[in-house]
Amino acid sequence: MTPKDAVMQYHMAERAKLDIMMLAHQLTTVPTLKKEDKPGAKFVLTELLSVLRADLDGAASVTGRAEFGKAAEGIDEVLSLVSTNQFGIASDKCGEAMIPVTSVAADAFSVLSAEKLI
């Protein structure tokens, strides 16, 4: 991997990790909301998860790293769980979706570190 590729992959992976962590946390808050607030929260989180899924597909396409595609598949599972109001399990599945993205970040970090860019 070239340093230029490593910068792109590291940036995309770290951004995806941040988004996944934020959404995983937000999913845990839905059960604490008032009954009338839950449908709106569910709608917003579903839309944000869909955007994240599209971003992961884009990262897979741009970088050629299958790990981003694997994470996108994990977000599909999260979306399915959210649709059935299983927010706690969905949050846990977000953590699982982060694992392949973390691998991309680690690989890219190794290259950037070897090149003394980080």
Side-chain angles (χ1 to χ4, degrees):
M1 167 184 340
T2 68
K4 182 178 178 180
D5 291 336
V7 168
M8 178 70 76
Q9 290 181 25
Y10 187 75
H11 170 73
M12 290 180 156
E14 288 298 319
R15 178 177 166 199
K17 284 172 43 183
L18 180 64
D19 290 347
I20 292 169
M21 283 187 283
M22 183 267 307
L23 288 168
H25 174 71
Q26 293 305 315
L27 287 166
T28 65
T29 66
V30 175
T32 67
L33 298 174
K34 295 177 188 171
K35 185 178 180 180
E36 63 271 12
D37 294 336
K38 288 181 183 181
K42 180 179 174 179
F43 175 78
V44 169
L45 288 172
T46 298
E47 292 300 310
L48 291 171
L49 286 162
S50 295
V51 169
L52 172 59
R53 199 224 184 277
D55 286 348
L56 289 166
D57 278 339
S61 178
V62 167
T63 65
R65 296 291 301 252
E67 293 92 334
F68 286 116
K70 187 169 176 73
E73 291 170 6
I75 296 302
D76 283 339
E77 189 173 354
V78 171
L79 283 162
S80 178
L81 290 164
V82 168
S83 73
T84 58
N85 299 321
Q86 297 180 67
F87 299 105
I89 299 169
S91 178
D92 293 342
K93 290 294 180 180
C94 277
E96 292 177 23
M98 193 172 0
I99 294 168
V101 175
T102 301
S103 296
V104 173
D107 291 348
F109 182 87
S110 294
V111 171
L112 296 172
S113 179
E115 295 288 329
K116 299 187 184 339
L117 295 171
I118 288 185

